[in-house]
Amino acid sequence: LETLAEVGIHYDSSEKEVLERPTNEIKLALLIFNLRGGFDKIPNPEGFIRTCLRRRWWEFPRNYNQLLQMFGNSTEWDELFPTS
């Protein structure tokens, strides 16, 4: 799974709210971004990612179920949703 810079979403180093989030949450936000159409559909990816992290959109049943279908029986699931 990719990181923010690898996909072309950049934040100033002072953007602690996003950059200091756990890696799994950033990866989850990127997955939701891509599920919602990515750069083709979302004109402000930085704002989308920030709001997704604030509101934890991956926990919404629709999003969680989509992620479960994509990664449920994989090692990525354990990385995205660590149990400890």
Side-chain angles (χ1 to χ4, degrees):
L1 295 168
E2 297 171 298
T3 62
L4 294 167
E6 289 171 333
V7 297
I9 299 174
H10 301 281
Y11 291 92
D12 183 274
S13 62
S14 66
E15 186 64 57
K16 306 288 187 212
E17 181 182 10
V18 172
L19 299 177
E20 292 185 354
R21 295 303 278 262
T23 303
N24 70 301
E25 291 185 9
I26 291 173
K27 289 179 179 180
L28 285 162
L30 282 170
L31 288 167
I32 299 298
F33 174 75
N34 288 322
L35 285 172
R36 298 291 165 261
F39 290 103
D40 292 335
K41 303 270 180 161
I42 299 168
N44 179 5
E46 291 80 7
F48 181 95
I49 295 291
R50 187 179 300 109
T51 302
C52 182
L53 289 166
R54 280 182 190 153
R55 298 184 182 167
R56 301 178 65 87
W57 284 345
W58 57 87
E59 293 178 346
F60 288 37
R62 175 183 170 203
N63 296 330
Y64 183 86
N65 289 332
Q66 281 187 290
L67 293 169
L68 185 60
Q69 287 178 350
M70 293 169 62
F71 297 102
N73 289 323
S74 69
T75 56
E76 284 95 352
W77 183 261
D78 296 333
E79 291 175 25
L80 294 171
F81 294 96
T83 53
S84 55

